[in-house]
Every structure is written in C-alpha cells, then in structure tokens.
Amino acid sequence: MTAQSATGLDLDKLFAARLYAARARPYLATALFALHTVESRQVPTMAVDRHWRCYVSPGFVDRMSVEDLAGVWVHEVSHLLRDHHGRSDRVARERELTGPGERLRMNIAADMEINDDAYGDGLVTPEGAVQPGKLGLPAGNLMEDYLRWFQLGPRTQELAWLDCGSGADGLDRGWELGPDGAHGLSEQQRDAVRFRVAQGITGHPGSAPSGWRRWAEDAFHPPQPWRELLGAAVRSAVSAPGVGEDYTYGRPSRRSVSLPGIVLPSLRRRPPRVCVVIDTSGSVSDAELGSALLEVAAISRAVGGRRDLVSVVSCDAAAQVAQPLCRAEGIELLGGGGTDLRTGFAKALRGQPDAVVVLTDGQTPWPESRPPCRTVVGLFPRRHEDGASYDEDDPDYVPDTPPDWARVVEIGSVPVGR
Amino acid sequence: MPTRTLYAALNPADPIPSPAQLDVAEDLLTLLRDTTTEPRPDTQLEALTLAVAADLPVLLWGEPGIGKTAALTQLAAALDLPLTTVIASVHEPSDFSGLPVVGDDPAEQGVPMAPPDWAVRLVRAGRGLLFLDELSTAPPAVQAALLRLVLERRIGALRLPPGVRIVAAANPRSSAADGWELSPPLANRFVHLQWTHDHEVVVRGLGGTWPRATLPRLDPEKLPEAVDFARRAVCGLLTGRPKLVHQLPSSETRRGGAWPSPRSWEMAMSLIAFATAAGSSREVLSLLVRGTVGDGPGLELLACVDRMDLPDPEIFLTDPTAGELPARGDLRQAVLDGVVAAVRNRPDRARWDAAWALLVRALETGAPDLVVVPATTLASLRREDWDVPPAIERLAGVVTLSQRADRAAEAAKARR
C-alpha cells in the first residue's frame, strides 16, 4: 500500500523514515512528531521554519532512501531544538551581520554543529551533509564558533544551494507560511516541546550521546560566562553589609545637624581586603589562570580596593604564572609552597581579609570549618580527553567537592547562547 | 561657512541669542515630541499588569534605559493608579525605615520614626503605584531597608494601605556595579520579570510611532472557573511530583532567581487564576509562572496545563467517534498512548475494541507513524478469547510502514 498525496509526495516513505528516526533516537520522538509537514515544490530538499513546520519537496523524497530521509528528519528537528533561528538572530545582531550571504553562512555553521555528532549509532549520514572536516574545521564546536572560522568561498561553493529554512538561520523565506499560517507552534508550545525532549534526555542520560546531554542540561539554563559569575560572586563578597562598609559612631552623621539631641551613626567605608589563593596542579592553562587573577584584581579595584589590599597566596605550580602577573599589577605575592589548600587558607587568613578567592581545580582537601570571611571558589574543571571528569582507572573516585559555605564558580565553561 | 558661524556664535562680543531663538527651539522640540501610538500586543507588559493586579511584588530585571519607567507609566494609567517613583540610590536607609524625630519628652513618649513625604501622600491617597527604581545601585543597607518596605509594606510608623501596589526594578547582577543579589528567601517573594527591548519596537518608536498595549481586563463571570482551573493545575502537578514543592536553587547560575516553594506555588496559583480570568495567552502565563517558580518547575506546570486541555481517554473508550483528536502529532500520540494505557489499567473487550476503532480513526485523519507504537501495545493486550476486530484490517498500512522502517534499519546497518 502506498499513500501518495494528490501532487505526488510519497507520504508513506516520509513517515516510515520518521518512524525509523524516532526509533533510532527515542528521546527526539516528541519533537519529531510535533513537526507539521507541508508539501512544497519551492524548497530544494527539506526545510523547517521557526514555527515548527517542515517543508518537504516531493522530488527529494523520491530521490532519497528511507534511511537517508530519517537522518534528514533528525537534522531538521535538531535545528529547531537547538534554537538555531533564535541564536542566528542574536549573532546577527551582536556581530552586525546582514544579508542573505551571512544567513547562508549561519545555515552552514548550524549544519556543522548538528552533523558532527547527530549521525552514527543506527542513523546514517545523509548524502551531502556538511561536515566541519570538509571545510578544514575541528568537530564538536558550536555554531557561533564555526561562524568565526570560515568565509564563503570556493570551498563553500557547492553548499550555496543549501537551504534549511528560517528554522536554521532566522531568515524568513518566501515559500514559508509565516507566523499566521496554519499549524504553527507558538513560542510557549515550542518551549514546552523542547522542555519535554530535554527532560527525556536528562531522565535517561544513558541513551543519549554527550552532545545531546549537554544540550539538555543547558536548554533552559544557558550557562553564563564564568567571568560574569566570578565577578558577581567576588563583588557580592566584598560589598556585602558588614564587609567593607558599616555604621560607625566615631563620626557624626551628616544628618545630625537637622536633628539636635540625636546621635545618628554615619556610614564609613573601609576598602575591602581580598586574598587570592592559587592552588593548581598544572592542569590549568596559564591563560585561564591569568585572566581569572586579573579579573579578581580588577573587580576588587572597582569596588574601592587598593592595589596593596589584594594579595596572592601561591602554591608551587602556579607561582610561575602568578609572579609576573602580580608584578605587573602591583600585587604582593606572599610566599609559596604547600599543595594542600588548608595551608593556603591558613596563610591567607593571617592577613585578615574580607574575602578569600580560591582558584583551584578542586582535587584537594578542604578546611574542616568555615573561615571567618566570605569565600569564593573559582573551580577549573578537570576533564579527561573523553570529556568525562572522573578518573578512568578508578571510576568510583569522586574528588571532594568544595564545601557548602563557599560560592563556587566553574571557570572555563563555554558560554552557550541557547 | 560652518566654521565662521560657529566662531561667531561663540564670540562673546555678539549679542546673546534673543528669546525668539528659544521659541524656535521650543517649536523644534514640539515637533520632536510629536509621536503617535499604534496598538501592539505586548506580553511582558500584560504579564506585569496581571502580577500587579494580583497584588504580588514584582521585580523587573533589565538593563538601564530600556523603557521600564515608560512601561510603568502606561501601567499606572491602565490601572488608574497615581504613580510614585522613588529612586532608591539617592536615599539613605532612614528614608525608608523612618527618621527619628525628637519630641518634648523622649523618655516618656519615645522617639517616633517619621516617614518621608511621599509615603504620607501615598497613605493619604489610599491607593497608588509605588515604583522603586534603581534598586541595584543603592548601597546594601538601603536595599535592606527597601526590602522591608516591599515585604512588610512599612515605612517608619506608617503602613501602606492595601490599595498601594509595589513594583521594583533592578539591573541584572552582571551589569550591577556593586553586586546586588537576592538571597533565596527574598528571591522567593518576588515575581521576576525579565524586561527586554524589542529592536523593531525601538526603531519604529524612534521613527515616531510607539506601541500602545491593550491591557488585560478581568472577566467577572470567569472568576470561579479561573480559581478552579488554577487549583487543578497546581495540585495536579504537585500530586505527581512531590519533589517540586520545595527546591532551593543550587547552582551559581540560578542564584537570585525564582525557585519553587509552597509560597511561590501559591503565588503561581493566583497568577494562573488571574491569567485565566483575563483570558491571557499561554505566552503571558509562561512569563508569569516561570518568573515565580523558576524555569524548570514552571515549564512542568505549563505542560500540566497543556495536558488538562487534552481530551479524557475515557470519553474515547465509551465512544470512539466522540471528541476531537488533536492535530499536532506529539499531542495526538499522547492521547493515543493515554487511551491504550487506560485499556491496560482496566482491560475488557468493549474497551479494547473501542481503542482499535480510535486507532483506525487516527490513521485516517493523520500521520500513520504515530499509530505504530499504540497499535503494537494494544495488540499485546489481547486476551485469548477476544476475537480480532474487523477494524484491524484497515491498520494493515501501519504494519507495512513499520516493516519499512525495520528494513531501513537493516539497510543502515549494512551501510556502516
């Protein structure tokens, strides 16, 4: 039995492919079934718009095999799940990219983000799928990164026909039904579908590849750039009530004149002392450590600290990096030695700081009790080659996590616009 | 020549510009201010209006200069409330906790804490919209005093009457210079609304046409229904997901934002009731609910609300031709799965047959691949003495489809 639409779209083949795609990627089933198919002779292959309609060319369905079509289904739905249209619009605004050429680049970059980990494991790579390797780019990156690394040129010439619709690059096409057309999903409905898919992945993390798991974790909580988080944590540690600023009766309030007979306190500001403890066992890149240190120095200066009030307690491995930086910044570097964070803390607390900032990879014992000042931990994630953060020889080994009393900011996590 | 003119204008020997010049400038300003408005749906303003109407403290998060004050002006006009703006950063803590005033005999009468004039005016009017702007640039001590005003509605010895509604605004902590951040207990008391600007609206507004939002009106006839709906939605979700009742924010990224607790669930419930009574869209409801209990629990609640819209499986099992099957594939599959699950829970011959009839109907009105899984499950529920219903013949296409997908799987395996 073959079902054909009036104009020749082989619906059976199309839906058999979707069924196969849903079987190969069960966690994407909700999203695949939420797509509304629209037959269109103007679209070269298959394309999606931002309202979750899927435009299908009858000729394309005839040309492709069922297993290839399944890959295309997953590819198209990935554009929507990863919000490529929204991210394209944001990138276009931020980097002021205009014109159809730039949107084509976004489409290619978005395709590379999907294609480098969408296939395999029961799903074949459809013919003509753009892989980053084809343009000489490394795999496993985000659309925003790919976008920086290539220009349209001879190597992308054969991709010029590529068109995944406005769902992939945010540019509305003439053949799309638009926001008022039938069977579109509203923004809230789209969020609901994406949320269900993300929930399915985080609920059964074993079955989904790491790329999708990462997506699911961040789908509704885009990680913020660590610089901002560290900045906010340090700022709030050094400017919290009672730290750098307090009421004092040592000087009369400026309002005392109007209230004879009343003693009002005045607000007095004491520049905050910040001590940075650096503990690293060489797994941290100099660039990351350096920029974290500079960030802390800049923030404590911005909240009224003076150079001489920022000090650094360094452990051996990091002293090499810290020394020139501290010289350049005019920061006092207090001794070295000791790979145990507890000694680092003890040394730092001797200067009675208002806040201690610890830059560490976390593979260390922590002090038993809460120190008498606020603590911010900049944590360098220690990842192995395969991206897992555990010890391969001993899968049960879990390093001590930073204690509850410290505010932890993970440094070096990639900011993802969702 | 321009340089000559400029020089001439700056030459002190020249006469001062005549008042006529200022009149011309006034004309130019009038022309610049001459803008029109056009109606345009504005979800964030609608959400703000509903939260204010529900008498919940709202915190607007937004970069400076994106029209928070303008929105508040429009809101005050819509709710017919006089607007009082207090710029928090230029005040001292005592402006909000009250200034001590020495009377004749402090030992006998105590020292009363006098409220500032704007508070007195607000209390005298009995109603109004109090906008606490620039919360994030105020020193921490002032913020502490302000939060007491927001939460306990007290200024010195005065208590704000119930007719006064309070809205606060803060800059996101990444752009706040002095680390304003809400502790979890405080964050839990606010409805957090992210205030963003729409590029198109700004460009069109600068071109002379600003948007005019039509604000929601509560429908008096819908009130009991709205309360019932809100209670069913929240209780329906929390019955099945007890973990969601109370979840302190754990990660650094979620600090200072909304999180679920019995208090915020109660707020969410009244917001659902208000949005239902006003007939607001799901977009508005989504902003409100996610701003009250956080993104994850908020989305689960919205999913729960969506499911409440789906038809009841029992209706289909009594009459397979009754009710409407949703057109959207994922919802349709959810309904079919629900029907099959209902048969599994209480299997009997009539229900099994009804489910087959519904699957045939689903096949005839929509995509066939959705029917495969429910049909397979339903077939496995068959008891020995049940005959295969004739309707199953018409599901032959589904079997073919399934086999075709199997063949594709084998082909894919061969290609690897």
Side-chain angles (χ1 to χ4, degrees):
Chain A
M1 176 182 135
T2 41
Q4 294 239 329
S5 77
T7 43
L9 176 62
D10 186 349
L11 283 172
D12 262 2
K13 192 172 184 182
L14 190 64
F15 286 129
R18 183 162 78 166
L19 182 63
Y20 169 44
R23 280 181 184 167
R25 299 282 184 274
Y27 45 90
L28 298 183
T30 305
L32 285 167
F33 291 146
L35 282 174
H36 177 76
T37 41
V38 179
E39 182 186 343
S40 167
R41 293 192 171 273
Q42 276 152 297
V43 52
T45 54
M46 252 166 97
V48 281
D49 71 5
R50 56 173 83 226
H51 308 281
W52 285 66
R53 297 189 200 94
C54 184
Y55 300 84
V56 189
S57 145
F60 179 69
V61 173
D62 286 340
R63 277 201 307 280
M64 302 290 268
S65 67
V66 176
E67 57 270 25
D68 276 334
L69 273 179
V72 179
W73 271 110
V74 169
H75 176 96
E76 297 300 336
V77 87
S78 301
H79 276 308
L80 296 173
L81 284 171
R82 294 175 182 222
D83 191 28
H84 279 153
H85 50 94
R87 284 162 59 187
S88 293
D89 285 347
R90 266 195 296 281
V91 168
R93 220 168 22 242
E94 274 163 25
R95 305 189 194 162
E96 303 205 334
L97 307 174
T98 49
E102 291 295 340
R103 293 290 179 169
L104 175 62
R105 270 195 339 117
M106 287 174 204
N107 196 338
I108 295 173
D111 277 9
M112 288 196 282
E113 179 190 315
I114 295 172
N115 290 349
D116 59 12
D117 63 352
Y119 307 116
D121 197 17
L123 214 55
V124 293
T125 313
E127 234 172 279
V130 199
Q131 296 283 6
K134 206 169 181 179
L135 299 183
L137 299 175
N141 288 288
L142 296 172
M143 170 200 151
E144 285 83 352
D145 298 325
Y146 285 128
L147 207 48
R148 285 181 210 277
W149 295 334
F150 74 96
Q151 288 297 330
L152 294 182
R155 272 203 287 191
T156 59
Q157 200 58 54
E158 54 187 290
L159 305 175
W161 57 269
L162 189 134
D163 191 350
C164 288
S166 71
D169 55 20
L171 181 72
D172 291 330
R173 310 291 205 274
W175 37 264
E176 288 177 354
L177 296 178
D180 304 323
H183 301 297
L185 263 61
S186 72
E187 197 181 336
Q188 190 266 325
Q189 289 168 326
R190 285 176 264 175
D191 272 359
V193 172
R194 296 173 58 224
F195 179 71
R196 291 254 288 284
V197 173
Q199 232 185 353
I201 292 174
T202 46
H204 309 276
S207 60
S210 63
W212 276 112
R213 280 208 304 276
R214 216 164 39 232
W215 170 81
E217 277 159 24
D218 301 337
F220 288 93
H221 298 282
Q224 287 177 30
W226 62 265
R227 231 171 273 271
E228 284 178 14
L229 289 174
L230 183 68
V234 174
R235 263 195 293 260
S236 95
V238 296
S239 63
V243 172
E245 192 174 46
D246 208 350
Y247 287 91
T248 168
Y249 287 91
R251 278 197 305 198
S253 160
R254 62 190 163 97
R255 286 197 169 172
S256 297
V257 200
S258 53
L259 293 163
I262 296 286
V263 185
L264 290 172
S266 67
L267 198 58
R268 226 196 103 105
R269 198 165 168 76
R270 190 166 51 80
R273 277 168 202 275
V274 178
C275 186
V276 188
V277 180
I278 301 173
D279 165 83
T280 157
S281 13
S283 64
V284 179
S285 80
D286 287 4
E288 277 182 333
L289 182 62
S291 64
L293 186 56
L294 284 179
E295 192 76 10
V296 173
I299 291 159
S300 61
R301 232 187 346 265
V303 294
R306 296 196 309 262
R307 278 184 177 192
D308 53 317
L309 296 178
V310 180
S311 56
V312 176
V313 172
S314 162
C315 295
D316 286 330
Q320 306 303 321
V321 194
Q323 248 159 0
L325 269 174
C326 291
R327 254 202 308 280
E329 283 288 297
I331 301 170
E332 187 190 359
L333 183 66
L334 297 169
T339 42
D340 187 344
L341 247 193
R342 288 174 295 195
T343 49
F345 260 100
K347 196 167 283 170
L349 292 176
R350 235 173 275 157
Q352 293 191 334
D354 295 300
V356 172
V357 180
V358 189
L359 302 175
T360 175
D361 60 5
Q363 318 276 320
T364 170
W366 294 89
E368 292 288 306
S369 62
R370 183 186 192 125
C373 63
R374 281 157 207 270
T375 310
V376 176
V377 176
L379 197 65
F380 295 99
R382 214 189 197 194
R383 293 205 197 282
H384 293 271
E385 301 278 292
D386 59 345
S389 56
Y390 54 82
D391 190 343
E392 273 181 358
D393 301 329
D394 179 10
D396 296 330
Y397 169 72
V398 180
D400 283 354
T401 46
D404 292 340
W405 39 259
R407 293 188 51 174
V408 183
V409 176
E410 203 163 292
I411 293 180
S413 48
V414 197
V416 185
R418 72 159 165 96
Chain B
M1 247 159 66
T3 36
R4 180 91 39 95
T5 328
L6 182 66
Y7 180 71
L10 293 174
N11 192 345
D14 277 359
I16 312 159
S18 59
Q21 272 296 308
L22 278 182
D23 289 343
V24 177
E26 192 58 45
D27 291 346
L28 183 55
L29 284 174
T30 316
L31 270 180
L32 278 171
R33 284 190 204 115
D34 186 21
T35 55
T36 54
T37 56
E38 60 183 359
R40 188 190 168 94
D42 186 337
T43 41
Q44 53 184 8
L45 189 56
E46 199 176 332
L48 173 64
T49 312
L50 285 174
V52 168
D55 198 13
L56 297 171
V58 183
L59 185 55
L60 303 181
W61 293 94
E63 304 289 339
I66 55 164
K68 293 192 288 280
T69 314
L72 260 289
T73 315
Q74 202 172 17
L75 174 68
L79 294 173
D80 193 22
L81 291 172
L83 176 68
T84 308
T85 304
V86 177
I87 311 276
S89 50
V90 297
H91 287 274
E92 291 198 5
S94 51
D95 289 342
F96 301 107
S97 54
L99 282 160
V101 178
V102 187
D104 294 336
D105 191 354
E108 196 61 35
Q109 294 168 357
V111 180
M113 303 295 267
D117 63 332
W118 55 263
V120 175
R121 277 202 300 271
L122 258 180
V123 171
R124 202 174 290 152
R127 51 201 290 282
L129 183 63
L130 177 57
F131 179 38
L132 304 169
D133 203 358
E134 309 262 348
L135 217 58
S136 43
T137 39
V142 174
Q143 292 173 5
L146 266 173
L147 289 167
R148 183 165 173 259
L149 161 61
V150 173
L151 303 173
E152 295 172 32
R153 308 173 66 96
R154 282 187 173 280
I155 312 167
L158 280 185
R159 197 183 171 90
L160 291 177
V164 175
R165 302 291 159 90
I166 303 172
V167 178
N171 299 335
R173 61 186 182 138
S174 52
S175 65
D178 37 10
W180 159 256
E181 179 176 278
L182 291 181
S183 65
L186 290 174
N188 198 232
R189 288 174 160 93
F190 281 106
V191 178
H192 302 253
L193 291 181
Q194 305 293 334
W195 213 256
T196 51
H197 72 269
D198 185 340
H199 177 75
E200 216 173 286
V201 167
V202 171
V203 173
R204 196 159 162 72
L206 292 174
T209 314
W210 289 100
R212 181 181 65 244
T214 36
L215 292 169
R217 299 242 161 258
L218 299 173
D219 182 351
E221 287 176 9
K222 278 195 191 162
L223 301 186
E225 175 200 333
V227 172
D228 175 59
F229 182 78
R231 289 203 169 128
R232 270 196 297 138
V234 173
C235 298
L237 173 69
L238 295 185
T239 317
R241 295 292 316 272
K243 245 177 80 186
L244 285 185
V245 173
H246 194 269
Q247 256 179 4
L248 265 165
S250 52
S251 80
E252 186 70 20
T253 334
R254 292 177 217 186
R255 265 179 104 94
W259 57 278
S261 78
R263 187 211 326 268
S264 52
W265 280 116
E266 196 185 340
M267 288 162 60
M269 190 151 79
S270 60
L271 288 171
I272 297 175
F274 269 80
T276 313
S280 298
S281 67
R282 283 286 158 79
E283 266 68 37
V284 174
L285 187 62
S286 165
L287 281 184
L288 287 170
V289 167
R290 288 162 75 170
T292 309
V293 292
D295 274 339
L299 283 160
E300 285 205 41
L301 180 64
L302 291 165
C304 195
V305 169
D306 282 341
R307 273 200 297 278
M308 284 166 68
D309 288 345
L310 293 183
D312 183 1
E314 294 299 329
I315 297 177
F316 288 119
L317 289 177
T318 41
D319 179 9
T321 53
E324 192 115 346
L325 275 171
R328 234 175 81 192
D330 56 328
L331 298 182
R332 175 174 282 227
Q333 201 184 31
V335 170
L336 296 181
D337 284 344
V339 168
V340 174
V343 175
R344 183 202 296 273
N345 286 345
R346 202 150 54 78
D348 80 45
R349 180 69 205 265
R351 289 160 70 86
W352 194 64
D353 285 347
W356 281 118
L358 182 71
L359 289 187
V360 170
R361 191 180 150 205
L363 182 68
E364 280 162 0
T365 53
D369 51 340
L370 301 171
V371 185
V372 174
V373 176
T376 321
T377 324
L378 193 61
S380 71
L381 295 178
R382 177 174 169 244
R383 299 281 164 89
E384 276 183 17
D385 53 333
W386 293 355
D387 292 332
V388 177
I392 233 168
E393 296 271 303
R394 286 149 79 185
L395 285 168
V398 172
V399 180
T400 325
L401 192 77
S402 178
Q403 285 165 349
R404 201 167 178 183
D406 289 338
R407 278 202 303 278
E410 269 155 34
K413 217 179 276 171
R415 265 168 67 170
R416 244 177 317 138

